[in-house]
Amino acid sequence: MRATIKSKLAEIIPEWKGQVYDLSPLDLILPGSCAVVTFAEEVQKSSWAGYRRIVKIWPYARISNGGFEQVEAWTQKLIEVLHDARLEDEEGHAFTCIYLGASDSDRIDTLSGLATRAIRFGIYVPEPLDSSTSSHALQASNVNASTAVLESVQPDSWLTALHHWTQAQLGEEWTIYEEAWPIDYKAPAVLWRLTASNFAAAGTSAFDVRKQWIGHVYGRNAQETQRIATGLVERLSSQTRIPLDIADRRYLTVSEASVDIQADAFLNGQIRLTLLHRVQRALPNAPLIREVTNKPVLDY
């Protein structure tokens, strides 16, 4: 990862070719037009995004070559290229960079006399998926205990239906992921993950199941990402039903769909979706009434 980031920085800022350093010794005088990369804490961020590693990038510029104005220009270029960007290390493992802001004010390096500032990026690294489970959500989605045990070892049929619907809308060029980003995720892609389920009685013979989903639309550029995220929500709102089992004529109803185009694709996701399905209760087995006799007048 470190080598990939350093190589990418030299690609973005050609003046830094061969001049991107790790944390330098205190007695090293840095040349002008260079950068230093330091790695900070690593924490587990979420079950779908994996671990987050903080990376600080320190651009350095001579005062005679623009100083802080040059640092500002480089900073803006780094943000433009690296924010929400997918990179890949030497082993083919993907990770995403998210700009987190500057960690300190501008300053002059006392040893070299160069202008600099520290800008922070979060590096999100997905964890390998557990091979013992499917990439589908494992949900116990029935109030009946025996059915819950059965559901816990089977893929979520709702997620499968949502996967197939999305693939049909976008075509084979797009990859659809479920529940978590894999370590080798590609773009363009969509990730669907379940966030909540609830049940409500609908009379004595049925109950409504609602599941809330978040959709992450990860395009090849910002324009494609925004267009596809907005387009999916428009289609969900207009179509209103997603096939669950066509043979049995069962469908999922789109209860609510919205998009936040300002949300980042990898970590938070732009789409909020609520699906509804009415389930008939299983009636208990009971003996039927065999005969009714009505004798309103009793003879004495």
Side-chain angles (χ1 to χ4, degrees), residues 220-240:
R220 286 159 290 202
N221 53 61
Q223 293 74 24
E224 182 180 52
T225 296
Q226 180 176 330
R227 176 174 57 83
I228 295 299
T230 303
L232 285 177
V233 169
E234 290 177 351
R235 296 179 194 181
L236 285 166
S237 301
S238 61
Q239 183 169 330
T240 70

Side-chain angles (χ1 to χ4, degrees), residues 180-203:
W181 295 107
I183 59 175
D184 57 348
Y185 68 94
K186 306 294 182 183
V190 173
L191 166 69
W192 288 107
R193 57 184 178 87
L194 180 66
T195 60
S197 299
N198 61 75
F199 309 86

Side-chain angles (χ1 to χ4, degrees), residues 41-224:
E41 71 273 12
E42 179 177 313
V43 296
Q44 185 176 19
K45 185 61 180 176
S46 67
S47 60
W48 65 90
Y51 283 83
R52 183 182 74 179
R53 187 79 181 269
I54 300 298
V55 176
K56 293 184 180 180
I57 301 173
W58 306 72
Y60 285 86
R62 294 185 183 278
I63 299 298
S64 58
N65 291 338
F68 293 115
E69 291 184 0
Q70 180 64 77
V71 170
E72 177 67 24
W74 285 337
T75 298
Q76 293 304 315
K77 192 168 185 179
L78 290 176
I79 296 171
E80 179 183 343
V81 177
L82 287 180
H83 178 60
D84 218 12
R86 175 190 177 277
L87 302 179
E88 193 173 295
D89 64 18
E90 299 84 353
E91 298 177 352
H93 296 166
F95 57 93
T96 294
C97 301
I98 303 292
Y99 175 62
L100 301 178
S103 62
D104 204 350
S105 58
D106 294 351
R107 65 180 181 85
I108 297 292
D109 182 73
T110 55
L111 192 61
S112 62
L114 301 175
T116 189
R117 78 168 58 145
I119 56 177
R120 299 168 66 246
F121 284 89
I123 305 299
Y124 294 88
V125 185
E127 298 179 84
L129 297 179
D130 187 351
S131 59
S132 64
T133 62
S134 168
S135 60
H136 292 272
L138 300 179
Q139 300 295 326
S141 57
N142 199 312
V143 294
N144 183 277
S146 61
T147 305
V149 173
L150 179 62
E151 290 286 340
S152 68
V153 296
Q154 293 181 349
D156 188 331
S157 59
W158 292 38
L159 184 56
T160 301
L162 188 55
H163 181 134
H164 291 162
W165 180 88
T166 308
Q167 194 78 74
Q169 304 303 309
L170 301 181
E172 295 301 323
E173 184 182 11
W174 284 71
T175 303
I176 314 302
Y177 297 115
E178 301 170 2
E179 293 300 346
W181 295 107
I183 59 175
D184 57 348
Y185 68 94
K186 306 294 182 183
V190 173
L191 166 69
W192 288 107
R193 57 184 178 87
L194 180 66
T195 60
S197 299
N198 61 75
F199 309 86
T204 58
S205 61
F207 61 92
D208 289 337
V209 182
R210 282 183 171 83
K211 293 188 179 183
Q212 297 170 359
W213 307 85
I214 290 182
H216 302 246
V217 180
Y218 202 119
R220 286 159 290 202
N221 53 61
Q223 293 74 24
E224 182 180 52

Side-chain angles (χ1 to χ4, degrees), residues 17-52:
K17 187 174 182 179
Q19 305 292 331
V20 179
Y21 304 98
D22 296 318
L23 184 61
S24 59
L26 296 178
D27 58 349
L28 176 65
I29 299 178
L30 295 169
S33 299
C34 67
V36 171
V37 179
T38 60
F39 283 74
E41 71 273 12
E42 179 177 313
V43 296
Q44 185 176 19
K45 185 61 180 176
S46 67
S47 60
W48 65 90
Y51 283 83
R52 183 182 74 179

